[in-house]
Structures are given as structure tokens and as C-alpha cells.
Amino acid sequence: EEHETAADMIDFHHGHVDLASFPVSLWKKTIAKTFDESGHGLFQSGPPAGDLPLRKMIAVYLRESRGVVCSPEQIIIGAGTPVLLQLLCHLFPKGTTVGFENPGFHRSKTVLKTGGFNVVPIAVDESGISVQDLEQYQPQLAYTTPSHQFPLGMIMPIGRRLQLLDWAASTGAYIIEDDYDGEFRYAGQPIPSLQGLDRNHRVIYLGTFSKSLIPSLRISYMVLPSPLVKEGLNMASLFKQTVSRHVQHAMALFMKNGDYQRHLNRMRTLCRKKRKTLLDAIKHEFGAHAVVRGENAGLHIILEVKSAPSEEWLTQKALEKGVKVYPASVSYVTPPETHAVLLGFGGLSEKSIADGIKKLKTAWFNGGQSRE
């Protein structure tokens, strides 16, 4: 048969979320309520750093769920992490060096580069970003994803976190902690955020509602350490505010009512089931032929297929069977010879996940050539 139609495509994209489980009618009601409660007040521009009710709710939520210690005044709301990173670029002189995880999240890396930072790749080992390399290159900033390294998926252990914080304190550097899917963790004790462990005001914390709600809301937030707050607020007033006040107020209400926490609990249960479906299917279909990495947190895994000629072959063969998987190599500065692909499972139903893995087996092992 020819390529499947786009509609039948099973897409393991790491950025997708389960739209079927978004509480649409509840969200509609919440938006309507913000109009009733706030009236015309909402029609004026709000505070550049974001409306206070939302910043208050985020501060409480972060303290309870991620161990982040901050006041609402330290929080800046923005329409997605790239916007906040762009704002951050203006707080440092052009040419400031940032040590960036290699492999790491390429969009963030590109934003920092175009923002005028000098981006230096820092190796990642099984505990996360290498503090030894940071000591060698001495950047003024380090960008890291400790809750679930992107893309390799390891969780940074407490020892490495303390080491990293010591490095920042002793050199006066800042750490950008991108907690892009920190809500989702499946094994072991939750480890407090770097921000929560830090006693020296060296951590810039980034979070988002894109994974836990829906990506199109465009609400992310940045918690600035006290030395950067004043300058950060100045910069925010230049951008005015990138998130609609209506959406901000609705989100604040959604959190205040406990609707967000309920939704998050549902999503966690759902994602835990999906993860189990995925891991069981991989074990069943591939046995010893494939290795899974980064499965203890987040909404994606890395699947390594030992016998595969190349990553490109894996993605191409999968596509021919109507499955989209993603190359791991785009996250590297110089791609290694990998035989690994990225599988996001947040946006697929359990049935699609199981079907997708079956199709991958056909694509990769049944001669790969067989026409159905």
C-alpha cells in the first residue's frame, strides 16, 4: 500500500498533549466567569509582568508541587518559554556565555543564540549536565533540564544538583532551570527543584502550562532570583505583556477553584497508564532488540534500536508504515552515530500507542521491505 493518509498517521510527537482530555466546557465557563467578575477592568492593559492573581496562584502552586520558593513579585508571565528566554537575553550583555546541555532542547538553544548569547555545548552524563565541563568553560549562565533531561530523559540526582548550585555560587553564574514537564514523574521520590535547593539566588526557573493543559494557551512563567528582579521588570514593561489578560484571569480562577489540580491529577493518572502501555508494548514487540531510556519522568522516551543501520532509516521506515517518530540527533551539536528515536506519548490514546509500536515492529524487523 502507499503512504497512509495524514489522518491515519500515528504521531509520537513530544510536544503533543491529549486534547480529548482537556476540560473544554469547564474552561469555557471559567473564561465567561472572568468577564462577569472583572467587567471592563479587564479591557485595560494589565501589569507588564502579569496579573497579580495569577502570579500569586503560580507562586503557591510552585511551592507546593515543585519546592520552588518565591514571591509573586519574582514571577514574570509570558506567552511561551521562547518569549521569556528572549526577555532574559536582554538582562545580560551581548556575547554573554551560556553553557548549554549537549544534547539539549534545540529551540531554546536557537533563541539564546539569536538573542546574542555565546552558546557553548556542555556534555551530559548519566546524572545530567557535567559540572566538570562548566568549571572548565566558565560560562556566566548554564541552561539545564534537571527534572527530565531533554531529550535523554534522565533525572538529575540530588548530589549533582548540589554540585551545580555550588558551582554557580562560587563563580557568580546563573542557572536557567527549564522545568518543561516537571509535573510528570513516575518512579522514585520527587527531587526538589534546583531553585528550591538554592540558598544563593542563582537560579532562574522556567515553567509552562503547555504540557499540563494545552500548548495553544501560551502561558509560561519565569521566576527570577532577587538580583535580577528589578531589571527583569523593566524589561517586561518594554514587552508590555504577551499573554491576554482574559486568559491570565481564567487561568488564575482555574487554579483557585482547584480545577487545575484536579485536571493535573487526572492527567498524571492517564500518562502513567499510557507510559505503562508504551513500555509493555515495546517489551512485547521488541524484547531485547530495543533499549528504553528516560522513562521515569516526563512525556517522552528515547528508544534505541541496536540493529538499525541509522536513525534516518528508523524514521523513514516508520513513516512508510504510517508512524511518525523523531530523530534524537537534532538535539546534538555534532550528531553522534545514533540508532535512537524520540517517542512522545502524551498526545496519543493507549490504543494508538499499542498500534504504533506494532507498526514499528513491522517497519523495522519484518524485512522492512514487506508490502502489506
Side-chain angles (χ1 to χ4, degrees):
E1 60 179 0
E2 285 310 291
H3 284 236
E4 312 262 339
T5 61
D8 297 330
M9 202 48 91
I10 295 177
D11 189 351
F12 284 96
H13 191 283
H14 66 87
H16 291 178
V17 300
D18 190 340
L19 301 177
S21 58
F22 181 70
V24 179
S25 59
L26 188 60
W27 183 250
K28 269 191 191 156
K29 281 186 191 122
T30 312
I31 291 252
K33 247 188 217 146
T34 60
F35 276 92
D36 301 340
E37 287 179 13
S38 322
H40 289 330
L42 266 190
F43 297 166
Q44 302 295 339
S45 290
D51 276 61
L52 209 53
L54 179 56
R55 285 153 80 198
K56 279 184 175 152
M57 289 316 304
I58 288 173
V60 171
Y61 164 71
L62 286 178
R63 188 160 46 250
E64 288 171 1
S65 68
R66 311 291 308 123
V68 169
V69 185
C70 69
S71 68
E73 289 67 36
Q74 286 169 262
I75 297 174
I76 294 180
I77 309 281
T81 304
V83 166
L84 292 168
L85 284 175
Q86 207 174 11
L87 189 150
L88 192 62
C89 287
H90 294 291
L91 303 189
F92 294 90
K94 283 256 180 285
T96 293
T97 300
V98 58
F100 201 95
E101 294 176 326
N102 180 37
F105 190 42
H106 57 100
R107 187 181 298 112
S108 295
K109 187 164 58 189
T110 309
V111 172
L112 295 176
K113 261 190 192 151
T114 52
F117 278 0
N118 167 33
V119 179
V120 173
I122 304 288
V124 169
D125 63 23
E126 65 287 346
S127 294
I129 195 166
S130 160
V131 176
Q132 239 172 329
D133 280 22
L134 289 172
E135 282 163 354
Q136 187 191 330
Y137 292 106
Q138 302 189 315
Q140 285 93 9
L141 288 130
Y143 174 98
T144 179
T145 47
S147 300
H148 189 234
Q149 202 276 338
F150 192 93
L152 302 179
M154 71 284 282
I155 300 168
M156 189 185 289
I158 193 91
R160 177 64 57 91
R161 289 179 191 232
L162 296 173
Q163 225 186 332
L164 186 56
L165 290 168
D166 282 348
W167 164 78
S170 62
T171 57
Y174 286 104
I175 298 164
I176 302 171
E177 175 177 17
D178 187 352
D179 203 12
Y180 67 100
D181 63 4
E183 293 85 12
F184 301 97
R185 190 190 164 92
Y186 313 108
Q189 281 304 306
I191 302 174
S193 58
L194 285 167
Q195 200 276 1
L197 292 167
D198 176 32
R199 298 287 166 265
N200 300 294
H201 312 292
R202 305 320 300 167
V203 178
I204 299 155
Y205 180 92
L206 294 168
T208 179
F209 291 109
S210 289
K211 297 273 189 189
S212 53
L213 273 168
I214 41 172
S216 64
L217 276 186
R218 306 315 295 142
I219 309 183
S220 293
Y221 44 86
M222 174 163 65
V223 179
L224 290 175
S226 48
L228 296 177
V229 168
K230 192 163 175 267
E231 199 41 46
L233 293 177
N234 277 344
M235 210 29 81
S237 52
L238 180 68
F239 283 78
K240 260 187 146 174
Q241 173 48 248
T242 51
V243 181
S244 144
R245 284 192 89 185
H246 296 287
V247 173
Q248 287 187 65
H249 273 250
M251 191 67 217
L253 200 57
F254 201 64
M255 292 176 91
K256 194 177 172 189
N257 293 345
D259 289 327
Y260 177 63
Q261 199 53 57
R262 277 189 288 275
H263 174 69
L264 200 48
N265 295 342
R266 269 200 306 272
M267 293 305 287
R268 282 197 186 114
T269 306
L270 205 62
C271 290
R272 193 170 292 245
K273 279 162 91 173
K274 289 179 183 187
R275 167 185 175 264
K276 185 174 179 343
T277 302
L278 177 67
L279 297 179
D280 289 351
I282 290 171
K283 198 170 167 186
H284 182 254
E285 302 294 340
F286 296 116
H289 295 290
V291 178
V292 172
R293 300 191 190 286
E295 73 280 15
N296 289 334
L299 299 172
H300 75 266
I301 59 154
I302 292 265
L303 184 66
E304 233 169 80
V305 184
K306 298 175 188 152
S307 56
S310 70
E311 193 187 70
E312 199 181 1
W313 181 89
L314 286 169
T315 50
Q316 192 45 47
K317 287 285 167 216
L319 209 53
E320 287 167 20
K321 291 279 176 270
V323 183
K324 269 191 176 173
V325 295
Y326 294 83
S329 62
V330 291
S331 303
Y332 287 86
V333 176
T334 39
E337 272 303 307
T338 77
H339 308 276
V341 288
L342 203 85
L343 301 185
F345 56 90
L348 293 172
S349 68
E350 286 181 68
K351 183 184 180 320
S352 295
I353 290 171
D355 291 351
I357 298 300
K358 275 202 181 75
K359 288 185 174 189
L360 289 180
K361 185 188 184 178
T362 311
W364 295 339
F365 287 103
N366 297 7
Q369 313 304 324
S370 63
R371 289 257 171 239
E372 277 160 2

